[in-house]
Amino acid sequence: MLRYLRENTGNWIIKIFLGIIVVVFVFLGVGSMNSDRNNSVASIDDDPITVNEFQDAYKNMVAQMQERFQDNLTDDLLKALNVKQQALNSLIEKKLVTAQAEKLEIMVTDQELEESILAIDAFHKNGRFDMDHYKQVLGLNSLNPEMFEQIQRNALKRQKVQDMILSSISVSDLEAQNFYQYQNSRMAVEYIKVSPDEFTDLVPTEEQIQAHYMENRDRYQSDPKRRAAFLKFSPEDYQGQVTITQTQIKDYYEQHPDEFKTPEKVEASHILIKVDDTADDQTVKDSQKQAYAVYQRAVAGEDFAELAKKTSQGPSRADGGYLGIFDKTSMIQPFADKAFSMKPGEISEPVRTRFGWHVIKVMDRFDADVTSLEQAAEEIETRLAEQEMQNLAYYKAGDAFDAVIDGDTLEQAALITGRQIDTTDAFDRNGNGLELEQAAEFARAAFDLEQQQISDVKQLGNAYFLIKALETIAPSQLPVEAVKDRITDTLTRKLRMAAAQTRAKELLEEAKASDTLEKLAQKKNLTLSFTELFTRNDSVQEIGRSADFNRAAFTLTKIDPLYPEVLKTDKGFYIISFKEKQVPVTDEIRENLSDIRQQLLEAKQRQYYQAWINELRNKSQIEIDPQFVN
């Protein structure tokens, strides 16, 4: 199998498959799933979920994560996303729904099955279903047509069950209207802000610092440290040891045609006269006249770059309106449509986009092109060689870990793989003290180990590591002098926050006795500020993102304008009062009703379906082996 993968590295399907294997290998560990293949991962009413089913579900979920996160996907991220538990939950859900399909005697005809398979793009070649390609793709995933067709039949049964369960869910016009009104109502408030930064005279005394230190000695200790040994397997170790054939190069070229296509491009500048997309007709006409006047000056012979510096309202103004060389997909329509219809040296009349009116000058055009196989061969060879070296490093790390699983020491694994063991100086959890490019990631992996424990394979950067925890250095008590600045900062923030909160509460009580915040601000010589209109889910520009602030604001009315409590955000303390509320008008609601009804329907369906699944889980006897998800 490995030889086949190495010989076919250029194939895009193989590359995806290899990527999945690498992540699964790194996260699950070689052999960790193989210790007892007769065991099941979980069971639902005595129906087992096998290890193989769990591995397949996990690999599929990793593939989805790879597509989303690309090169940023690491074992740490997989752990943070709890992908193991997600994979197991998806299997449990499938088993529960499949069981319901059997109870309801849901049937899938052969024609339905065939149509569903014919529609899967992964089995298409040159735009059509191809039987040989179908078998090849299934084979790469350890499946044959009979196995896959049973999987697909069960999936169609589950879909029929889901459709049946959700068929009764509906959204009335009134529900959609109320939802749209709730989501799109906008509020503005006036406020008085009390900031902790105003209380600059508050600093802790020496007695307060000493008392805080004595009460919190455990918080002021040195970081625990570790020492570790490791084996490192880098692609660079195999430089010059791989050979890429002309067949591999040709296969890669044919399977990645888009990589070697250069789209048509233009080089252009523009002058932008801004106008808001929601501006009234008169404003649009006035800005169009302004843009047309600029256009007339440009075609009359004025230097376009100098004219842009004087009149353009866009970010490229300082560069004389220069936008560089770009393809059609890089610019907003109808700007792109106009630019790509022009000849070099031509200047366009004003073109309207959502940003405003553009006067465009095209300096040059570049035809679409395709890099030939001969031209691309060297680059492809380099790319494939790098991938092959990456694979070799991965395989060798796997050999080392296999040896560890078989009971060998790290020293014996080093002899088997021809690598040298390196040891570190003491380092903390953040990697301070390590002379490695991926110091922080290495440190986190090492701190996850027990004393003398050897890790599974860890991919750090483009290299693979086996790490052994050698020694743990316990934290020691830091003297007060070493942490005095930290304590001072902590106590200063606390003192100023407390003072600001007290002051805000005092002002709120006075505001309750006043008719308006404006009168209180005048009386106390305070700054009264106003927010722009915002929705319940907006980040308020003047305040920042605060769910509590938004929630409180939308409780205010003209009749009861003052919020009865002080609001705390990351920026300080606020006393707020009603200023303005805008509710969507009937025409706006009617215009968006169809989209809102669909959004609300999908949300209700998700909620109802999940509640149904939860009910099935509660009624079922589900047993899970914790070793597979911990």
Side-chain angles (χ1 to χ4, degrees), residues 266 268 323-337 339-340:
V266 299
L323 297 172
I325 299 171
F326 52 87
D327 62 38
K328 197 169 185 177
T329 62
S330 301
M331 292 294 174
I332 191 171
Q333 291 181 324
F335 182 101
D337 291 337
F340 277 82

Side-chain angles (χ1 to χ4, degrees), residues 230-248:
F230 63 91
L231 294 177
K232 179 180 179 182
F233 302 87
S234 299
E236 293 78 11
D237 298 337
Y238 305 96
Q239 192 78 39
Q241 297 183 31
V242 299
T243 301
I244 305 300
T245 67
Q246 292 302 310
T247 299
Q248 287 176 283

Side-chain angles (χ1 to χ4, degrees), residues 96-107 155-170 601 605 608-609 612 616:
L96 290 170
V97 180
T98 300
Q100 289 300 305
E102 296 301 324
K103 286 183 181 179
L104 297 168
E105 298 183 351
I106 301 295
M107 302 296 294
L156 292 174
K157 285 183 180 181
R158 289 193 296 271
Q159 186 60 54
K160 285 190 174 186
V161 172
Q162 182 173 344
D163 292 343
M164 183 177 67
I165 294 297
L166 300 180
S167 61
S168 62
I169 307 297
S170 63
L601 176 62
Q605 287 178 334
Y608 185 87
Y609 186 72
W612 181 72
L616 289 181

Side-chain angles (χ1 to χ4, degrees), residues 162 165-166 169 171 175 179 599-615:
Q162 182 173 344
I165 294 297
L166 300 180
I169 307 297
V171 175
E175 281 183 283
F179 181 76
Q599 291 176 25
L600 190 54
L601 176 62
E602 291 172 0
K604 287 180 70 175
Q605 287 178 334
R606 286 193 299 270
Q607 185 178 17
Y608 185 87
Y609 186 72
Q610 189 57 55
W612 181 72
I613 291 293
N614 291 341
E615 185 178 359

Side-chain angles (χ1 to χ4, degrees), residues 437-449:
E437 288 186 13
Q438 309 292 333
E441 292 86 347
F442 183 99
R444 283 197 296 271
F447 269 84
D448 284 342
L449 301 172

